[in-house]
Amino acid sequence: MATLSIHFNPAVIASLASASNDDTIHVTLTLGGGELSSEAATVVPHGPLAALMQAGLLEAGAELTFHQRRANRSGRAVVTADGQLIVDGHSSTFPSPSKAAEAVTGNVINGWTLWQTSKGVTLDKLRSRLDAQ
């Protein structure tokens, strides 16, 4: 019979321990053989966020948020290593900031100007910084 072995980085364990009942925890499993190698663990970002990630302006695991006061709604998403967005309350990833924002708001909306980093910087401003480099 095959054996399943799951190894978690200590940061993942700490995140799980500090999660509240309202948090959504996403875990991605991949097939591998033997010891983990850094080569096998390397994921290359693709899609609209890839350039920001490759330039070091946005990192995997970064939390993006927005709050629309008039509509009284908020959103939270996490950037994956491959450049997708995991939005709280949704089981699938989203390939672009706008698709992720649309999943929260229910409207076609510019996610580049809506989502903000933990420092309050929009993805659109990060993209402008990249263009200026």
Side-chain angles (χ1 to χ4, degrees):
M1 174 173 273
T3 301
L4 174 64
S5 178
I6 301 175
H7 302 273
F8 289 101
N9 178 304
V12 172
I13 299 298
S15 178
L16 290 171
S18 67
S20 73
N21 290 337
D22 295 334
D23 287 341
T24 300
I25 306 296
H26 295 273
V27 178
T28 302
L29 301 176
T30 59
L31 292 175
E35 293 298 313
L36 293 176
S37 70
S38 60
E39 183 178 314
T42 301
V43 176
V44 177
H46 60 277
L49 297 177
L52 294 176
M53 295 176 75
Q54 291 165 347
L57 296 172
L58 188 65
E59 295 183 358
E63 184 177 305
L64 304 175
T65 59
F66 75 82
H67 182 72
Q68 294 176 312
R69 277 182 257 163
R70 281 187 171 170
N72 193 28
R73 68 180 157 222
S74 298
R76 180 182 169 278
V78 176
V79 180
T80 65
D82 65 350
Q84 305 286 303
L85 290 170
I86 298 171
V87 177
D88 281 356
H90 295 270
S91 59
S92 60
T93 59
F94 294 90
S96 75
S98 295
K99 290 293 183 190
E102 185 178 338
V104 176
T105 66
N107 300 312
V108 174
I109 192 164
N110 185 346
W112 290 94
T113 59
L114 188 66
W115 293 108
Q116 297 180 5
T117 67
S118 61
K119 294 181 179 180
V121 180
T122 66
L123 294 175
D124 192 48
K125 288 214 190 279
L126 290 180
R127 196 166 48 175
S128 293
R129 287 182 193 168
L130 179 63
D131 291 343
Q133 289 181 351

